[in-house]
Amino acid sequence: EVHLVESGGGLVQPGGSLRLSCAASGFTFSSYWMSWVRQAPGKGLEWVASIKQDGSEKYFVGSVEGRFTISRDNAKNSLDLQMNSLRAEDTALYYCARTHDPRGWGIRTFDYWGQGTLVTVSS
Amino acid sequence: DIQLTQSPSSLSASVGDRVTITCRASQSVSVFLNWYQQKPGKAPNLLIYAASSLQSGVPSRFSGSGSETDFTLTISSLQPDDFATYYCQQSYITSWTFGQGTKVDIK
C-alpha cells in the first residue's frame, strides 16, 4: 500500500526558513516524479513544485521560484522541500504527492497524497 | 500560466441528482486535464485523468468529457459520499494549475 508521510511543518517568522520532508513507502520511489501541493486555510489547491525521478528536472510555481528548493533521496525514499524567505502567503497545509503519468505521454496526475504538514508564517 | 475556471463555484443537490461541473481553460490543454475530489479534513483523491479516463477504484457514476478548453465532470446519480469539493487540474504546461474548486453540498 502506498504511504506518504509529511513532517517538518510548524510556526515560523516571516523571512525564516523551514524544511519539509516526505517519507514514502509501498512503491518504487525512484520510478516516479514527486510533487508538493499546498492548500491555504479555507482555500483551494496550489501546485508548488515537482521533481523528476532522478532529480534532473525540477519545476516550481512562480511565486516560490528562487525561495524554495526540492530534492529527493532515492536511497532513503524521501522527498524534501527547503523553504527560505518565507512569507505570510506561504501559510498552508503542504501535501506530498506521488506524480504519475498513466498514459506515458505527459498526463501528470497526483495519484497518491499524504495527509499534509501545516506551515504557519507569522510574527 | 494557464488559468482554469470552474463553474459553478458551489451547488446544492439531492441524493440521486445528476450533477455537472465544468472547467474552462484559458488556452488549449488538449486532454491534459484531471479531476479530484476532496472531503473536509482529507487529502484530495484522483477521480478522472486525461479528461475522460476513470481512475482505478473510482465508482462508475463519475465520468469526464471534453478537450481543448472545455471540460465536464458528471456524477450520474449523486450519492451521500459524493458531497465534497471538486477540482480540475491541468498538466499541459508545467506550471501545473488547479481550478478554484466546486463545492457540492446537500440541498
Side-chain angles (χ1 to χ4, degrees), chain B residues 64-95:
Chain B
S65 64
S67 65
E68 306 294 338
T69 60
D70 292 295
F71 301 87
T72 299
L73 173 70
T74 299
I75 309 172
S76 61
S77 177
L78 197 67
Q79 298 302 300
D81 193 46
D82 301 338
F83 291 97
T85 300
Y86 294 85
Y87 295 92
C88 57
Q89 173 248 328
Q90 66 81 19
S91 64
Y92 186 68
I93 292 179
T94 314
S95 196

Side-chain angles (χ1 to χ4, degrees), chain A residues 52-73:
Chain A
K52 195 177 178 180
Q53 290 92 328
D54 61 0
S56 62
E57 293 182 37
K58 304 174 184 181
Y59 300 98
F60 299 89
V61 67
S63 60
V64 309
E65 195 105 44
R67 300 188 298 122
F68 290 12
T69 58
I70 188 171
S71 61
R72 63 191 296 162
D73 185 334

Side-chain angles (χ1 to χ4, degrees), chain B residues 15-67:
Chain B
V15 172
D17 284 354
R18 181 181 183 89
V19 169
T20 299
I21 299 168
T22 64
C23 177
R24 176 161 288 176
S26 58
Q27 64 186 78
S28 174
V29 297
S30 182
V31 292
F32 289 61
L33 194 287
N34 309 315
W35 290 96
Y36 300 82
Q37 175 194 67
Q38 187 180 33
K39 297 178 182 178
K42 300 292 186 182
N45 181 47
L46 176 66
L47 299 175
I48 301 285
Y49 65 90
S52 61
S53 295
L54 193 67
Q55 173 71 353
S56 176
V58 174
S60 59
R61 62 181 180 272
F62 291 94
S63 64
S65 64
S67 65

Side-chain angles (χ1 to χ4, degrees), chain A residues 84-99:
Chain A
N84 299 328
S85 303
L86 282 161
R87 306 166 180 167
E89 53 265 35
D90 296 317
T91 294
L93 186 64
Y94 283 73
Y95 292 105
C96 166
R98 192 177 84 167
T99 306

Side-chain angles (χ1 to χ4, degrees), chain A residues 1-6 22-29 32-37 79 94-102 108-116, chain B residues 35-36 42-47 55-58 89 98:
Chain A
E1 182 186 358
V2 173
H3 210 46
L4 298 169
V5 179
E6 303 94 337
C22 172
S25 61
F27 65 103
T28 305
F29 182 74
Y32 290 86
W33 282 71
M34 293 296 295
S35 300
W36 290 96
V37 177
L79 174 73
Y94 283 73
Y95 292 105
C96 166
R98 192 177 84 167
T99 306
H100 181 44
D101 181 356
R108 307 286 185 202
T109 68
F110 305 117
D111 65 342
Y112 285 94
W113 301 63
Q115 286 307 300
Chain B
W35 290 96
Y36 300 82
K42 300 292 186 182
N45 181 47
L46 176 66
L47 299 175
Q55 173 71 353
S56 176
V58 174
Q89 173 248 328
F98 288 88

